[in-house]
Amino acid sequence: MKKNVGFALRAAGFLAVFAVCFWVYVRWITPKFFTDIDWPTTTTYAGFYELEKNTADVLFLGSSHGVTSFLPQELYNQYGITSYNLGCEQQGMVTSYYWLKEALRYQSPKAVVLECYFCFPYMVDEPLNTEESYTRKAFDFMKWSPVKAEAVKTVCEVDAKQDVWSYYFPNVRYHTRWENLDRNDYRYKEMAGKAGLKGFAPLYFYLGEPGEGFVPHDTDETDECAQMAPLMLEYLDKINDLCAQNDIHLILTITPAMAADLTKCNAVQAYADEKGLTFISFNEQNVYRQMDYQMAVDNCDDGHPNIWGAMKVTNYMGAVLRDQFGIESNLQPQWENSKEDYAFIMDQCSLDHTGDIDAYLAALNHEQYAVILASKDEFTTSLRESTIDLLRQLGLSADLAGQEGCNYLAVVSDGKVLLEEVSFEPIAYQGAIQDGYMPLYARSMKDEWGNGLASVIIDGEEYSKNQSGLNIIVYNNQTRKIVDSVWFGTYEPENTMGR
């Protein structure tokens, strides 16, 4: 009897250890999409589970059009309304339905805002109207529960190419990733927790120049309606029913996009009228003008708002949520605590549109940044005193007066000056930023013929523009990605900037 008990205990111990090891292995090889890329889907869903229960009064769902349009922190800052953006790239209605169902296990929202671009045929050769990779990104980090089991069953019934067991045992799907694992794969908890923007994906490019491009719809132009994809319509009905069962206001939207033609907006309006729902087309003339929206500078491409466009869309939606649906301000620590993160992201996005060296340097005064400055050729001739003062605010102190023709190299990371050197001899730095994790090799020098070089190699890749003047590379230690690489012609009065 004792032998049997001992054997059972040893077997149970072995199985427990095996289960833990297998879970770690599966977590490692499952692809992750954190804040070091533009579409941090894993961060979105991991961050959702960090919310205190029943604190989000509004949920946003939909494809990337919604991910880049609805900014929860802006909604909170301006209206005090707590929300979370559960959208993701190519999120069809099947995914939206199951993520809403999952969200209701943790939150009791008063309203759900659904972006409807994917109600219409998009990937016509794909049964789910989207590629498998995007479906996996949406469900791989949903916690296991009857909701996920039902979602997986539905996905694999609709799309015969997908395998149920590959969701339960992701190693079946991702076993070939073993040789390509990187640091993200081993630091899930650290990276997944960075959810200050609560599901929103900030983009900062401009589509064009002010006044160019898109003309908003006049609803009198046509009453023709586009056809929704049958499966998308089926799950739109399910979303509507689920909201009705839980006494949740469902608001349908189509956000600013050139491909969102009037026939699609008419179709969603017709559905909303039939079901007694509210529909807001941000492409409709009156709405577009009330927001003072300009597609050329408020969108980053023809389908996605940049962060400034998202502010306009979100503020319009905030007024609707408050005035039309009576959603009140709700003071919550998790939204209060992310105000600073939001301000930092706004500063970071603005860097790409900042052409003055003083304004640029002022925006770099964040401990989250690593900043590398490397001179090439002459750079001190027209260096302003105000610019030198801003360099001092970054912690730098070298005296650059009377140093015409010198080499200059500085490295600031995590609020510490790792190197600052002025010399007529070659200067080089070999070390690491990001608390010692990211290798850096930087140089400022002239060769034997007097040709200058400004080189900044981070993790084996060259990022310096190597232009005459002051070359600046900005790296975000938290998100682990290059923010910007520019140069300023500080040898000339205009201090010309280039990228």
Side-chain angles (χ1 to χ4, degrees), residues 197-476:
L197 289 176
K198 297 178 173 59
F200 174 76
L203 303 175
Y204 57 87
F205 299 114
Y206 289 165
L207 172 60
E209 296 297 325
E212 289 182 353
F214 182 77
V215 176
H217 302 151
D218 180 346
T219 54
D220 293 332
E221 290 175 12
T222 180
D223 57 3
E224 181 184 351
C225 293
Q227 290 295 312
M228 294 187 186
L231 183 68
M232 300 298 99
L233 178 57
E234 177 186 344
Y235 275 83
L236 178 58
D237 284 339
K238 287 178 179 287
I239 291 169
N240 181 43
D241 292 343
L242 186 58
C243 286
Q245 292 163 15
N246 288 275
D247 197 25
I248 298 168
H249 298 294
L250 176 61
I251 303 165
L252 308 180
T253 70
I254 292 184
T255 54
M258 289 186 179
D261 62 47
L262 183 54
T263 65
K264 291 177 181 175
C265 295
N266 286 343
V268 180
Q269 183 66 68
Y271 182 90
D273 292 342
E274 178 188 344
K275 303 295 184 181
L277 304 175
T278 295
F279 168 58
I280 301 170
S281 168
F282 290 95
N283 303 277
E284 192 270 319
Q285 199 173 91
N286 290 332
V287 174
Y288 193 87
R289 288 175 178 167
Q290 283 181 50
M291 294 190 296
D292 190 27
Y293 206 88
Q294 293 187 66
M295 186 76 73
V297 293
D298 290 324
N299 264 41
C300 74
D301 56 28
D302 61 5
H304 303 90
N306 57 36
I307 194 167
W308 301 281
M311 290 173 68
K312 293 180 178 182
V313 171
T314 300
N315 277 292
Y316 186 96
M317 181 57 70
V320 171
L321 291 167
R322 180 193 63 193
D323 301 338
Q324 189 172 332
F325 294 94
I327 298 180
E328 299 175 347
S329 175
N330 179 12
L331 185 69
Q332 287 290 341
Q334 286 186 291
W335 282 262
E336 286 290 322
N337 295 340
S338 52
K339 283 182 175 179
E340 189 174 332
D341 286 345
Y342 176 52
F344 172 75
I345 291 293
M346 288 297 301
D347 282 349
Q348 180 174 294
C349 289
S350 296
L351 278 181
D352 195 65
H353 308 288
T354 303
D356 177 76
I357 187 171
D358 288 357
Y360 194 91
L361 290 173
L364 300 185
N365 199 8
H366 291 278
E367 288 194 5
Q368 194 166 320
Y369 283 145
V371 181
I372 304 97
L373 303 99
S375 71
K376 177 183 177 182
D377 303 323
E378 170 53 33
F379 81 102
T380 64
T381 308
S382 295
L383 201 60
R384 308 168 190 158
E385 188 59 40
S386 58
T387 303
I388 294 173
D389 287 342
L390 286 160
L391 289 172
R392 292 188 182 117
Q393 290 178 31
L394 290 176
L396 302 171
S397 58
D399 183 5
L400 299 174
Q403 301 281 4
E404 288 81 0
C406 68
N407 300 311
Y408 179 69
L409 187 64
V411 180
V412 181
S413 184
D414 299 303
K416 303 170 187 173
V417 177
L418 304 183
L419 172 80
E420 185 183 27
E421 189 172 342
V422 182
S423 176
F424 290 94
E425 299 297 322
I427 308 171
Y429 174 81
Q430 187 160 4
I433 52 177
Q434 193 195 305
D435 284 332
Y437 286 106
M438 186 60 64
L440 167 68
Y441 180 48
R443 290 176 291 167
S444 174
M445 59 180 288
K446 294 179 181 64
D447 63 23
E448 57 186 305
W449 297 282
N451 299 314
L453 172 70
S455 173
V456 177
I457 298 172
I458 299 174
D459 198 24
E461 187 170 347
E462 177 67 69
Y463 286 100
S464 172
K465 297 298 183 183
N466 192 31
Q467 296 292 319
S468 295
L470 195 59
N471 294 264
I472 304 176
I473 292 82
V474 185
Y475 179 86
N476 189 323

